[in-house]
């Protein structure tokens, strides 16, 4: 590849804020590894890594304090629609949604049809995938008791709720480590379109620093590629961020789970992180079904320019192809 | 002298109310101006006009939420204050317990309660109970410390007089120490009043079901800043109200200290 | 109540230590009225506090009816009136007085009603006033009423009339004597007024400057009620004045002597 | 009387230390017993032995974190206390400002500061500054309220004396009001001391980079209870320490009030 | 400093209103030493506070060298000694006295050094003591020293010797007179001791019970230093005692008269 710049003084300062605590979420790992391996420096970037424990990271991106953060694709769509954050997804790392619902195995529940009459938790606002799942089994909100729960799976094991919302790459392993078997339901398994974590920047940064963004993304994707091939090393690097509180086995579980979710037909074809209007549009349509405001112009919410440059994909050709398929139908 | 002050107070009060209103209006205008001129986007800091519109358009929503939060706050404050006063009294009546109880109290107080909030939810469920307990845990400490200070600093001449009558500890406590500690108690209430609101809000923030805290949390996670600030406005207003009530109570109950003029 | 004091010394343990009482010995019969006169700062208040059981002497013995002061205090038989008027600021004149009786309830025959006491000190009109609206002398009269309200067997009075004018004082002398003769308590009465002492007491103790020592114990064998214009009275006043002066001189010489020996003050 | 009390104090102190230690050990033993007997899983509440082991095995880690947090807390406490004392003094010297400043203060105090944490990051960046500011905002209020109470309740006889000398407001403030308000200041410090720790921790909790708060947040998110409780133990200990220092300072500075026995 | 008071009334606005001063008129020449005697609670302290500019009269005129009291106060020419000893508890005896001079610095010729004042009140030994370790009389002497430290043109003294024994009092009378004759301030001196008044003052004002009214203004034309055993002295004391009694009686009659008219007390 290109030569690394000689003088470190020329490095462009750049802030990445991971949308949560330091752990082995794949988009985080890509950045940790890239920083550790010097990929960023090769791109001429001096990347500072921060973590958002609250929800302020999107605000910080819009004000330019942070250049790139991570965000769940569905949430991104919502924030762009309301309150109108000028955000853009640079790459879709999670090709499939992370959310799922869990019950203790000995509750005897097998399908969401069994939820009827039980307490179902949600975090803040009941999510669309919940309603989608209910729809699949011809249940309505009235058939279950909804309660707002925090991010604490002990609520489930201690019996305060029957069905608990969680992240597939995270809590299932934790709960298992406590000696409980669980049953998981993922809306995606029932044909509901879901998407996972993205790298996000602001329109303004996109306009002003396209080279830096491309460099960042290239390095981060290299980091993910490295993690795919060397998960042990990637976990070791991650652990230097995650602190002694983190359990290495758990981090390994998370990484592997998210590596799987990062694969799809699109990534097979074009590379990790690839995103298409089709994916975004079906997600937006699903959200709209449940009265969630989404942007009119879904195309503006993501860009493949950087991905195309990195993977050397001819976007025009793709578009022509897409138009051709559409016409042939 | 006394009544003169009272009549002055009325004048002062009116002036003060004007000052307060002028101040608030001025600050809001300044804020509005900055937001408009600097074109600060609504998802960073909303203009007060926008916040107030949101507030009035959703008065019912906020009123319901407020009712829950204020109930939690007031019940928590009541419990916290009672526990604080009782503990302080206990320490005053049984000084050999001081070290032990203060140690425990400082322990409780040094623990960020957010850290154990989830445990409370696990044990007590999703209702008001854990929020009330958190609020009580937050508010008892200022009361305990201040009232205990006040009880300890009772007038030595008065103490001697009651000791000369061989008054019981309890009598000394009730007739000398407690009245003497009232100024400290009211200072503590002025501290704990606003604190109780924060306590209830933060408790709702973590795994809440209802209330202003939940409204704020939702607004925050949706980056709906007008809602967030509307909630903040409400809290600020209620805080003022609670504070004013405390002031009023203080004037009524601590009547024997002539307030000097200079 | 009999008051016996022997070998009583009291030193305040500060730097340097301050010796307030020097080998006080005193035997007061039950029902005696003893006045104490001594220069400012000699140790009179300290002595009363020790007798009241409010502090523990460094050395020596105090017994009240052969009991330690704390015991007698716990039987609520002592009334102590402090030198500062220590009224409860949050109570009216009436409720201040009433509190004393409430905390220290006395058998009927001994106690006077609050109304009675208010009249005695001439503050009936001010029964609902709070202390901070009273003049210095009025406050002191409330404190006096409060002390009398206890109907105790031993009265320890620390300059109870200091803030009062002559006429009020004269009136109160009559009232106090009357009450004393009714209850027959033992009284230790600190005053700076020789006339007052001679009007009231059976005995006048003259103290030296600090450390207080009893320089003279002067009996007052005049019948009650006393006439302060009488020849005997005047003679006694004059005698006491001389005794006091002599006590000062004696002390002064002794001090010089001690100082030359290099001992502590 | 004075020295006797002092000598008693020494004895009392030793007794007290023993009581404290006994109490702590007793409570820990009880806790250990319950956890063991009831077989409470470690992810709900860890046994103290487990917590202490974690603590000692990671002493370096916690020490580094503590250093950051304590620095933030102490700087914040210092700023908060200074601002509180200065504002209270200002109100005392210029009473017509009272309503205005107290209104603002109650506003600030009634606002759950966590809600505006991202704004602080936008203005102040990712370093210690926003944590210090949050801590200062949390701690200034008890100081303001208490010290202002103390300044207002100065001895009227002393005030009259200085007024008769036509002392300036400032002289009255400095020679009468301030010394008289010291007991209130120390009570406030006893409240604010532990509060400053919580302030720093909670500030770190939201978007932190370092410190005990971050450690706690990580531990909680990983549901690693031994780490969480180890951090809580540390905070409780530091809280005790801060409290004890305040007590010691109080004894040194408020020396003129004889402490009565009963 | 000349003190002129005319038509002075003062009523405390409480329920019911309390009339403390009744039509006080007074003209004091510069350098005069005026003693005020009146029954407890009549309004003496109130009058001094008004003259000191610490309160504003309900009605009437007070002028000090033709200026309002507040003006003279702001020129720091007034020394007021309150009835309660109001020492700063956080300052030693010495620094309590020094503070008065610090806040109220006086031209050299008027001021006495703190050492000098400590000697005057006999508390040199206690210069580093804190007030709460002093006896009542010692505290009052510190307050006296502090007041004298101001070297003011007008001394308003509210029972400055109330807590002192006769000998200390006699000594201080000498000291105060000496200092007064050196500075020649105007003095208003409240006391309950007729002897003390006659020893010190050029004039003795006899006040009626509340509301205070000046019942008599008795000149004392005895040369200094005065001998309290002299015939003239004794005669004056006796005369004053009678005047005071008469004042009480007069007031009493007037009160009854007023009460029958149904007016406020
Ligand atoms: N702050 C106040 N509020 C209401 N009434 C007051 C106040 N101060 C004094 N008085 C009343 O005014 C009257 C005169 O009080 P003042 O203190 O002047 O008396 P005094 O002549 O100094 O008496 P004494 O010799 O006992 O000190 C009293 O009846 C007293 O109750
Ligand atoms: N708490 C104390 N600590 C230290 N010294 C004290 C204390 N109380 C009194 N003293 C000292 O003891 C001595 C005697 O004081 P005391 O109050 O008994 O005098 P007194 O005879 O009552 O004088 P007075 O007539 O002025 O009231 C004084 O020198 C005083 O300074
Ligand atoms: C316990 C727990 N809480 C929250 C998340 C959610 N999460 C993980 S990464 C991320 C960032 C989006 O940019 C978010 C919201 C989780 N996985 N586990
Ligand atoms: Mg005394
Ligand atoms: Mg008076």
């Amino acid at each position: 590849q290109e030569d690394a710049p000689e003088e470190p003084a020329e490095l462009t300062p750049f802030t990445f804020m991971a949308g949560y605590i330091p752990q082995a979420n794949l988009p985080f790992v890509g950045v940790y590894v890239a920083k550790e391996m010097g990929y960023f420096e090769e791109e001429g970037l001096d990347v500072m890594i921060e973590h958002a424990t609250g929800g302020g990271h999107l605000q910080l991106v819009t004000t330019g304090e942070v250049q790139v953060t991570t965000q769940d694709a569905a949430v991104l769509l919502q924030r762009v629609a309301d309150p109108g954050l000028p955000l853009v997804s640079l790459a879709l790392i999670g090709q499939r949604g992370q959310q799922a619902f869990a019950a203790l195995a000995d509750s005897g529940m097998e399908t969401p049809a069994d939820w009827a009459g039980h307490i179902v938790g949600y975090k803040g606002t009941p999510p669309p995938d919940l309603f989608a799942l209910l729809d699949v089994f011809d249940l309505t909100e009235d058939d279950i008791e909804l309660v707002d729960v925090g991010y604490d799976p002990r609520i489930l094991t201690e019996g305060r709720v029957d069905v608990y919302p969680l992240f597939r790459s995270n809590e299932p392993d934790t709960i298992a480590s406590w000696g409980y078997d669980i049953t998981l339901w993922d809306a995606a398994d029932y044909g509901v379109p879901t998407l996972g974590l993205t790298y996000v920047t602001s329109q303004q940064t996109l306009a002003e620093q396209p080279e830096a963004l491309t460099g960042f993304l290239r390095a981060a994707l290299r980091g993910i590629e490295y993690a795919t091939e060397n998960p042990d090393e990637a976990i070791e690097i991650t652990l230097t961020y995650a602190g002694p509180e983190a359990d290495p086995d758990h981090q390994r579980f998370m990484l592997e789970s998210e590596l799987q979710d990062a694969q799809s037909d699109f990534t097979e074809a074009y590379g990790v992180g690839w995103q298409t209007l089709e994916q975004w549009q079906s997600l937006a349509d699903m959200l709209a079904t449940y009265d969630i405001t989404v942007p009119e112009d879904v195309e503006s919410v993501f860009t493949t320019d950087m991905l195309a440059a990195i993977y050397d994909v001819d976007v025009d050709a793709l578009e022509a192809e897409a138009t051709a398929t559409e016409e042939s139908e | 002298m006394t009544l003169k002050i009272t009549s002055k107070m009325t004048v002062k009060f009116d002036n003060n109310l004007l000052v307060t209103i002028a101040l608030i209006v001025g600050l809001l205008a300044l804020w509005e101006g900055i937001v408009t001129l600097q074109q600060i986007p609504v998802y960073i800091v909303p203009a007060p006009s926008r916040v107030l519109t949101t507030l009035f358009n959703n008065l019912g929503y906020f009123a319901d939420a407020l009712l829950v939060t204020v109930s939690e706050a007031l019940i928590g404050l009541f419990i916290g204050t009672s526990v604080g006063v009782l503990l302080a009294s206990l320490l005053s009546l049984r000084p050999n317990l001081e070290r032990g109880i203060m140690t425990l109290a400082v322990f409780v107080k040094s623990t960020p309660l957010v850290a154990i909030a989830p445990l409370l939810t696990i044990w007590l469920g999703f209702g008001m109970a854990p929020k009330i307990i958190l609020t009580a845990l937050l508010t008892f400490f200022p009361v305990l410390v201040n009232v205990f200070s006040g009880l300890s600093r009772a007038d030595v001449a008065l103490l001697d007089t009651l000791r000369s009558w061989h008054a019981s500890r309890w009598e000394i406590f009730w007739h000398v120490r407690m009245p003497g500690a009232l100024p400290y108690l009211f200072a503590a209430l002025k501290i704990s009043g606003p604190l109780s609101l924060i306590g209830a809000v933060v408790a709702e923030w973590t795994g809440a079901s209802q209330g202003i805290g939940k409204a704020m949390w939702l607004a925050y996670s949706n980056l709906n800043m007008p809602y967030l600030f509307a909630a903040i406005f409400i809290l600020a207003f209620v805080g003022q109200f609670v504070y004013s009530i405390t002031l009023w109570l203080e004037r009524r109950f601590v009547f024997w200290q002539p307030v000097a003029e200079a | 109540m009999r008051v016996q004091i022997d070998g009583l010394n009291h030193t305040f343990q500060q730097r340097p230590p301050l010796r307030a009482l020097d080998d006080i010995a005193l035997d007061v019969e039950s029902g005696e009225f003893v006045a104490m006169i001594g220069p400012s700062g000699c140790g009179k208040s300290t002595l009363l506090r020790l007798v009241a059981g409010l502090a523990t002497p460094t050395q020596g013995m105090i017994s009240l009816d052969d009991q330690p002061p704390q015991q007698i205090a716990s039987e609520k038989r002592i009334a102590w009136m402090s030198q500062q008027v220590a009224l409860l600021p949050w109570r009216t004149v009436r409720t201040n007085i009433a509190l004393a009786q409430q905390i220290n309830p006395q058998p009927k025959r001994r106690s006077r009603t609050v109304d009675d006491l208010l009249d005695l000190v001439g503050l009936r009109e001010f029964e609902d006033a709070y202390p901070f609206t009273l003049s210095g002398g009025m406050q002191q009269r409330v404190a006096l009423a409060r002390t009398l309200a206890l109907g105790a067997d031993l009265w320890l009075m620390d300059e109870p009339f200091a803030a009062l004018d002559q006429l009020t004082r004269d009136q109160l002398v009559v009232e106090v004597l009357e009450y004393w003769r009714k209850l027959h308590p033992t009284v230790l009465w600190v005053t700076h007024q020789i006339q007052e002492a001679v009007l009231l007491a059976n005995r006048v103790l003259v103290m030296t400057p600090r450390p207080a020592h009893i320089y003279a114990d002067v009996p007052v064998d005049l019948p009650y009620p006393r006439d302060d214009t009488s020849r005997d009275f005047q003679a006694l006043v004059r005698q006491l004045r001389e005794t006091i002066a002599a006590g000062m001189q004696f002390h002064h010489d002794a001090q010089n002597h001690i100082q030359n020996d290099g001992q502590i003050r």
Side-chain angles (χ1 to χ4, degrees), chain A, chain B, chain C:
Chain A
Q1 302 223 335
E2 324 135 76
D3 292 341
E6 312 262 289
E7 306 102 275
E10 284 178 21
L11 295 182
T12 311
F14 194 100
T15 305
F16 167 73
M17 182 173 247
Y20 191 54
I21 61 158
Q23 61 178 8
N25 292 116
L26 189 54
F28 302 5
V29 174
V31 176
Y32 301 150
V33 169
K35 171 136 181 162
E36 186 69 22
M37 306 295 291
Y39 300 162
F40 288 132
E41 279 165 36
E42 288 176 27
E43 303 291 342
L45 297 173
D46 175 21
V47 173
M48 186 163 93
I49 301 177
E50 296 291 344
H51 296 84
T53 45
H57 56 305
L58 295 183
Q59 283 171 305
L60 294 175
V61 169
T62 64
T63 59
E65 251 70 31
V66 167
Q67 276 74 46
V68 172
T69 186
T70 58
Q71 184 62 62
D72 178 81
V75 177
L76 181 64
L77 279 172
Q78 294 173 49
R79 292 297 156 271
V80 171
D82 177 34
L85 301 189
L87 299 177
V88 191
S89 162
L90 295 175
L92 178 64
I93 306 303
Q95 296 284 316
R96 156 195 177 120
Q98 294 185 293
Q99 310 264 352
F101 292 89
L104 294 179
D106 56 20
S107 71
M109 287 189 261
E110 282 168 7
T111 72
D114 301 327
W115 293 1
H118 284 99
I119 303 174
V120 179
Y122 64 92
K123 294 163 181 172
T125 325
D129 15 345
L130 172 65
F131 297 120
L133 270 175
L134 291 176
D135 274 353
V136 170
F137 290 91
D138 283 332
L139 294 177
T140 70
E141 221 180 308
D142 301 331
D143 298 321
I144 57 174
E145 189 187 337
L146 278 173
V147 291
D148 183 9
V149 297
Y151 293 89
D152 195 325
R154 296 176 296 182
I155 294 291
L156 175 67
T157 58
E158 296 302 308
R160 288 271 161 204
V161 291
D162 302 316
V163 178
Y164 181 80
L166 43 61
F167 297 92
R168 274 186 300 108
S169 66
N170 191 356
E171 291 97 330
D173 178 56
T174 310
I175 298 173
S177 75
W178 298 340
Y180 293 92
D181 289 331
I182 53 172
T183 314
L184 269 186
W185 299 281
D186 180 351
D189 293 336
Y190 300 91
V192 179
T194 64
L195 294 177
L197 290 177
T198 62
Y199 284 125
V200 173
T201 189
S202 73
Q203 298 280 13
Q204 191 177 353
T205 309
L206 185 67
E208 288 170 1
Q209 299 181 278
E211 296 84 12
L213 286 175
T214 312
F216 173 83
L217 193 58
R218 182 182 294 120
L221 290 171
R222 270 180 81 191
I224 291 175
E225 187 186 317
Y226 177 90
T228 318
E229 277 148 27
N230 313 285
D232 292 337
E233 286 79 356
I235 287 300
E236 219 157 276
I237 292 171
T238 301
L239 285 174
T240 63
Y241 289 88
E245 293 88 350
D247 173 16
D249 294 339
H250 178 60
Q251 297 302 317
R252 182 65 185 252
F253 171 87
M254 188 179 289
L255 179 61
E256 276 167 6
S257 161
E258 298 206 2
L259 278 172
Q260 257 174 25
D261 290 349
Q263 305 300 323
S264 73
D265 296 345
F266 302 105
T267 62
E268 290 286 290
Y270 306 107
V272 169
W274 195 262
Q275 48 192 346
T276 66
L277 180 59
E278 184 187 344
Q279 286 172 299
W280 282 98
Q281 192 63 58
S282 14
L283 179 63
D285 292 345
M286 187 274 284
L287 295 177
T289 319
Y290 297 102
D291 296 332
I292 293 171
T293 344
V294 288
E296 303 263 306
D297 177 15
V298 174
E299 230 169 324
S300 70
V301 176
F302 71 99
T303 173
T304 47
D305 293 353
M306 267 123 228
L307 288 166
I310 293 164
Y311 292 130
D312 229 352
V313 174
D314 184 348
V315 182
D316 295 337
L318 275 181
E319 263 168 19
E321 194 181 313
T323 327
T325 351
E326 227 165 73
E327 279 166 4
S328 71
E329 273 166 15
Chain B
M1 197 165 92
T2 325
L3 243 190
K4 237 186 237 154
I5 281 179
T6 315
S7 73
K8 267 186 198 160
M9 252 164 36
T10 329
V11 181
K12 225 175 148 190
F13 175 74
D14 291 342
N15 271 346
N16 274 337
L17 203 69
L18 280 181
V19 169
T20 312
I21 293 174
L23 188 83
I24 294 175
V25 171
L27 281 179
L28 289 184
L30 184 75
W31 175 353
E32 184 86 31
I34 293 179
V35 167
T36 315
L37 285 180
Q38 305 244 332
Q39 304 201 320
I40 296 178
V42 65
Y43 48 81
I44 301 291
V45 177
S49 56
R50 181 86 183 258
V51 175
L52 290 173
T53 316
T54 307
L55 183 54
F56 288 113
N57 289 344
N58 298 278
L59 221 46
Y61 171 75
F62 284 116
D64 290 349
L66 188 61
L67 195 67
V68 175
T69 306
V70 165
S71 312
E72 291 163 357
L74 288 188
I75 300 175
L77 179 62
F78 178 77
I79 297 177
T81 306
S82 308
V83 170
V85 170
L86 286 179
L87 278 184
S89 309
L90 188 68
L91 295 193
S92 172
L93 292 165
R94 298 261 170 278
N96 49 333
L97 294 179
E98 176 181 348
R99 185 82 180 206
I101 292 194
M102 283 317 283
T103 304
L104 286 183
V106 175
F107 273 154
V108 170
K109 190 58 196 185
S110 310
T111 307
L113 294 172
V114 238
I116 52 160
L119 287 181
L120 288 180
T121 307
I122 290 175
W123 290 325
L124 299 169
F126 302 108
M128 281 168 77
K131 287 97 190 176
I132 290 172
I133 293 199
L134 273 177
T135 306
L137 284 173
L138 208 61
T139 51
F140 90 99
F141 193 69
V143 177
L144 168 59
V145 166
N146 257 17
V147 174
F148 184 55
S149 258
L151 293 173
S152 308
R153 298 196 176 283
D155 187 319
V156 180
L158 297 185
L159 290 179
D160 274 350
T161 301
L162 267 83
R163 283 174 60 213
S164 83
W165 300 344
H166 215 266
S168 65
R169 260 175 205 280
W170 169 255
E171 285 165 334
I172 290 178
F173 170 79
W174 185 248
H175 294 296
V176 176
R177 293 189 182 273
M178 203 62 213
L182 281 184
Y184 280 84
L185 172 62
F186 282 105
L189 283 180
K190 286 184 215 162
I191 297 170
S192 284
L195 213 56
S196 72
L197 285 173
I198 300 193
V201 164
V202 171
E204 288 171 350
W205 201 291
T206 56
S209 331
Q210 299 179 68
I212 288 280
K214 167 160 179 171
M216 290 181 78
W217 190 78
L218 273 182
Y220 185 54
S221 39
N222 294 324
L223 290 183
N224 189 338
M225 292 294 129
Y227 268 77
L228 182 64
F229 276 83
I232 290 180
F233 276 24
I234 291 178
L235 287 176
F237 186 80
V238 176
Q240 287 296 338
F241 187 70
V242 171
Y243 184 83
S244 304
I245 289 183
T246 317
L247 266 187
W248 181 79
L249 284 175
E250 181 180 23
R251 288 222 180 95
R252 273 193 73 101
F253 280 98
V254 189
F255 56 85
W256 60 83
Q257 258 174 335
V259 180
E261 287 160 59
Chain C
M1 175 176 300
R2 187 163 178 196
V3 178
Q4 287 163 295
I5 298 176
D6 202 24
L8 185 69
N9 284 281
H10 195 69
T11 301
F12 288 101
Q13 299 296 347
Q14 51 191 25
R15 237 168 312 165
L18 189 122
R19 185 138 176 234
L21 300 180
D22 175 28
D23 199 18
I24 303 275
L26 182 62
D27 193 338
V28 181
E29 297 291 320
S30 183
E32 260 190 310
F33 198 126
V34 176
M36 292 165 50
I37 286 192
S40 173
C42 74
K44 304 178 293 298
S45 300
T46 304
L47 179 58
L48 287 202
R49 292 178 62 90
L50 293 176
V51 175
L54 290 171
T56 319
T58 316
Q59 211 179 51
M61 185 272 294
I62 302 178
S63 76
L64 309 177
D65 277 354
D66 300 322
Q67 306 275 344
Q70 273 80 7
Q71 171 60 29
I72 297 299
S74 76
E75 293 168 10
K76 310 210 167 188
R77 294 171 62 196
I78 303 181
W80 171 72
M81 180 173 163
S82 71
Q83 192 169 356
Q84 316 105 293
V85 260
L87 300 176
L88 305 187
W90 37 84
R91 285 183 163 251
T92 62
V93 168
R94 169 179 287 279
T95 55
N96 254 291
I97 299 172
L99 182 66
Q101 287 192 333
Q102 178 190 328
I103 290 188
N104 222 333
Q106 295 294 326
K108 262 258 163 55
R109 58 164 195 86
R110 307 189 71 91
S111 80
R112 301 179 76 138
T113 65
V114 176
D115 287 326
D116 204 10
L117 290 161
L118 281 169
D119 286 334
L120 192 151
V121 297
L123 290 173
R124 190 59 175 266
E125 226 185 323
F126 286 89
E127 57 177 358
D128 293 327
Y130 283 91
F132 77 95
T133 66
L134 300 182
S135 79
M138 289 158 81
Q139 290 179 14
Q140 194 164 44
R141 281 181 280 155
V142 179
L144 175 66
R146 186 175 68 171
T147 312
L148 297 183
L150 298 170
D153 293 330
L154 174 61
W155 298 359
L156 304 170
M157 312 295 278
D158 204 346
E159 309 191 20
F161 290 171
L164 301 181
D165 64 291
Q166 196 59 52
L167 287 179
T168 309
R169 208 182 276 233
D170 289 344
Q171 277 171 333
L172 287 175
V173 160
V174 175
E175 301 279 1
V176 164
L177 277 179
E178 190 184 310
Y179 195 38
W180 169 63
R181 291 166 82 178
K182 188 173 148 225
L183 290 194
H184 242 66
T186 309
V187 182
L188 297 186
W189 186 281
V190 174
T191 180
H192 287 310
Q193 291 262 95
I194 302 172
Q195 310 253 347
E196 182 185 315
V198 179
L199 269 177
L200 288 164
N202 302 126
R203 284 160 70 183
V204 179
L205 303 180
V206 176
M207 330 271 292
T208 64
R210 174 176 34 80
H213 182 77
I214 298 177
Y215 174 72
D217 186 343
V218 182
V220 185
D221 287 327
L222 303 173
Y224 297 97
R226 290 169 179 169
D227 172 10
D228 59 358
T229 56
S230 78
R231 182 158 294 248
D232 288 351
F233 191 99
Q234 298 288 356
L236 203 55
V237 168
R238 225 169 303 123
Q239 182 201 328
L240 267 169
R241 195 168 290 147
E242 277 154 25
T243 312
I244 293 167
M248 292 289 282
Q249 192 54 47
F250 170 84
H251 172 83
H252 191 248
D253 297 348
Q255 280 298 97
N256 279 346
H257 181 69
I258 288 174
Q259 269 180 7
N260 294 343
D261 284 4
Q263 299 199 1
I264 57 159
R265 65 156 197 244

